[in-house]
Amino acid sequence: MASLFTTYHLLRRAAPKVSKEFFTCQAARHTALRPRNVQQIVEDLPLQRTFRSGKPFTQTAVSGVGISSDAASPLSPLNGTIRNVRRETSRKSYFPETSDKAVAYWLLGSAASVFGLVVFGGLTRLTESGLSITEWRPVTGSLPPMNATDWDLEFTKYRSSPEFKQLNPRMTLEEFKSIYYMEWGHRQWGRAVGLTFLLPAVYFIARRKVSAPMAVKTIGIAGLIGFQGVLGWWMVKSGLKDDLFAPGSHPRVSQYRLTAHLGTAFICYTAMLWNGLSILRERQLLADPVAAEKNFSILRDPKLKIFRRSVAGLAVLVFCTAMSGGLVAGLDAGLIYNEFPQMGLRLTPPRSELFSDFYSHTADGSDIWWRNMLENPSLVQLDHRILATTTFTSVLGLWAYTKLSPTLNTILPAACKRGMHGVVSFVWLQVILGISTLIYLVPLPLASAHQAGSLALLSSVMILGGRTWVPSRASRLVAQKFAKPSSALERAVPDIRSGLLSRHPKVSIGGNGSSMGTANPGV
């Protein structure tokens, strides 16, 4: 009996030692422990090594959840999602999602330069300086004549033009220099606009400062600038030969080519202004998606549909009125009927004068309508008056609609109301300038200000449109910012959860996908 108690006592003393030996890793006892930080520990995890390797998940990577090796891993969707995200990122990462703010300022600065160039081009036409340079040399023409021989050569070329023979036969060399420098300065400004746009455009695209759509638009504007230069020479060339106008008449460039040149300048300016403002607005909207979505919900209101469409129609109307002004300038139609609102003794000239057979080029007179509308100075001026009056009344009517409609006055954003007030102010200024230019026989300052006023009025309408219309791309980016998960892991959580629950019902995943446990404690 004593021996039995002795044996039991010895077993109790040996039990702790046996348990320690049994549950201790012998390899680890001979390995020196090294201090490790958290990052090293995380990088050595099987799941993290699998992420880095890009290989499919195996039993080793997910053995902690007790998944058998013969079944496909439920975490495989996460691995596939990460690989897809990497491929999509590598495909789309060349251009950023939004353009840099510096690109917006550059576009607005270019627009201001084009604005000044348009005004200076009007002065060149009003001073009859546009035909002083009879050649188009895009590169070598950058330098003016440097000595007396060069000046004599340029003056000799000008003396052979119809303008010198019919208008300026007594012009001296010093007078020629004044109009030459006017046209030379206009061309130099055009070259400067092209260079200051093309070189920064290449830089911004190469340095990935613009979004993909903005890169395409920038290249399009650069091509439009080059096309504008070609149109300019095509216009000047029409005034260097007398086969485009009646013999003995006032030498002038073709009103069609002048209007095309002016219209391209307006489009180029509008594109720069619109895209510059769009970048600033897009960045402002993405900075506060909640406020942006609230603003979009207001602008999408069906009650604003008429106002949105009216602003778009107003922009088209202002552009067409400005182009009719180009026809007036090309035909010198502002030098006749210098009173307002009457044209002579009545509101309109006689019908026989408006639709004269003199301008028809066909025997049956089938072109009498459109040729008089585009070539008859009397009808061209009347058309411009009608378009200008329509523009004026449309602006005032839209402004009255915003004031008198209780619904529109309530829901229309304050920024749109301020923009509408700006349009009203510019249209009043433009009407005053236009009437004054007509009454005082087209003086140089008033005529130049009237041309600048048309571009300013178009700018105010476009700014109003930018505050009224819902930008599709900015709206899409704001919606994506709301719906886009913050990481690839969050995008893959639904796939992981569904895979685990379908293949291993005993595995339970937390509602947020961040924790993983088992429904059965024995698993």
Side-chain angles (χ1 to χ4, degrees), residues 108 111 217 269-279 281 461-467 469 471:
L108 294 177
K217 295 175 183 177
Y269 166 80
T270 305
M272 293 176 179
L273 177 68
W274 177 260
N275 287 292
L277 294 177
S278 297
I279 293 175
R281 187 186 183 194
V461 175
M462 296 305 297
I463 293 174
L464 174 61
R467 298 175 179 182
W469 305 322

Side-chain angles (χ1 to χ4, degrees), residues 26-46:
Q26 299 298 323
R29 293 182 61 184
H30 301 286
T31 304
L33 295 176
R34 294 174 296 176
R36 308 175 68 195
N37 54 33
V38 177
Q39 181 179 359
Q40 292 173 339
I41 295 173
V42 173
E43 289 179 353
D44 289 339
L45 289 176

Side-chain angles (χ1 to χ4, degrees), residues 50-183:
T50 307
F51 280 158
R52 293 198 305 268
S53 65
K55 298 178 180 178
F57 289 97
T58 61
Q59 171 66 20
T60 304
V62 293
S63 59
V65 296
I67 300 174
S68 60
S69 60
D70 58 343
S73 170
L75 295 180
S76 297
L78 175 60
N79 188 32
T81 301
I82 293 177
R83 288 200 304 269
N84 292 335
V85 170
R86 286 177 177 176
R87 284 196 296 267
E88 293 175 3
T89 304
S90 62
R91 264 198 318 266
K92 301 179 181 179
S93 61
Y94 186 85
F95 292 107
E97 192 176 58
T98 58
S99 300
D100 193 89
K101 191 180 293 186
V103 179
Y105 295 143
W106 161 66
L107 286 172
L108 294 177
S110 299
S113 182
V114 173
F115 187 101
L117 181 59
V118 171
V119 176
F120 192 78
L123 289 172
T124 303
R125 181 192 57 81
L126 289 169
T127 56
E128 297 183 347
S129 304
L131 300 178
S132 58
I133 301 180
T134 59
E135 294 178 338
W136 188 49
R137 295 173 295 174
V139 179
T140 58
S142 301
L143 296 177
M146 305 302 293
N147 49 53
T149 303
D150 294 339
W151 277 113
D152 289 337
L153 179 61
E154 292 296 327
F155 193 32
T156 301
K157 295 176 183 178
Y158 177 70
R159 284 199 296 264
S160 63
S161 66
E163 184 179 72
F164 177 84
K165 294 177 181 179
Q166 299 183 30
L167 296 181
N168 304 317
R170 300 180 182 277
M171 177 176 283
T172 63
L173 180 60
E174 293 301 322
E175 294 173 338
F176 170 73
K177 288 182 180 181
S178 63
I179 63 172
Y180 184 95
Y181 275 122
M182 198 75 178
E183 172 65 11

Side-chain angles (χ1 to χ4, degrees), residues 237-468:
K237 188 178 179 180
S238 65
L240 299 177
K241 297 181 180 180
D242 55 3
D243 56 349
L244 295 179
F245 40 86
S249 63
H250 190 294
R252 61 168 63 95
V253 298
S254 168
Q255 74 272 19
Y256 299 110
R257 302 185 187 186
L258 174 64
T259 305
H261 186 55
L262 179 66
T264 308
F266 269 58
I267 294 174
C268 186
Y269 166 80
T270 305
M272 293 176 179
L273 177 68
W274 177 260
N275 287 292
L277 294 177
S278 297
I279 293 175
L280 295 178
R281 187 186 183 194
E282 187 176 283
R283 294 180 65 88
Q284 181 182 9
L285 293 172
L286 292 177
D288 191 356
V290 177
E293 191 61 32
K294 182 179 179 181
N295 185 36
F296 289 158
S297 64
I298 296 175
L299 295 178
R300 292 192 187 100
D301 194 316
K303 298 175 183 177
L304 291 177
K305 185 177 181 179
I306 296 178
F307 182 79
R308 291 195 302 267
R309 292 185 176 182
S310 299
V311 174
L314 193 60
V316 176
L317 184 59
V318 171
F319 180 81
C320 292
T321 305
M323 294 305 100
S324 71
L327 292 175
V328 172
L331 293 172
D332 290 332
L335 297 176
I336 60 175
Y337 292 115
N338 301 105
E339 57 268 343
F340 189 86
Q342 292 183 328
M343 296 181 69
L345 300 177
R346 299 184 298 177
L347 289 177
T348 63
R351 178 183 174 86
S352 58
E353 181 181 347
L354 294 178
F355 298 98
S356 173
D357 296 335
F358 175 78
Y359 297 97
S360 177
H361 293 182
T362 59
D364 58 354
S366 58
D367 61 344
I368 190 173
W369 290 90
W370 69 266
R371 282 198 179 275
N372 275 276
M373 292 181 65
L374 299 176
E375 297 178 4
N376 186 345
S378 299
L379 186 54
V380 166
Q381 188 190 125
L382 177 61
D383 292 339
H384 186 62
R385 290 189 182 206
I386 293 174
L387 285 172
T389 305
T390 305
T391 302
F392 178 71
T393 54
S394 298
V395 170
L396 293 186
L398 187 59
W399 173 76
Y401 176 55
T402 61
K403 291 293 184 181
L404 300 179
S405 173
T407 303
L408 192 64
N409 193 21
T410 302
I411 64 176
L412 191 65
C416 297
K417 294 179 180 179
R418 292 193 299 269
M420 191 70 243
H421 292 160
V423 174
V424 171
S425 301
F426 276 110
V427 78
W428 270 108
L429 176 64
Q430 182 67 350
V431 166
I432 294 174
L433 287 173
I435 295 176
S436 301
T437 302
L438 181 67
I439 292 176
Y440 291 102
L441 298 175
V442 195
L444 187 63
L446 286 177
S448 181
H450 185 54
Q451 185 177 16
S454 64
L455 204 51
L457 178 59
L458 181 61
S459 303
S460 64
V461 175
M462 296 305 297
I463 293 174
L464 174 61
R467 298 175 179 182
T468 305

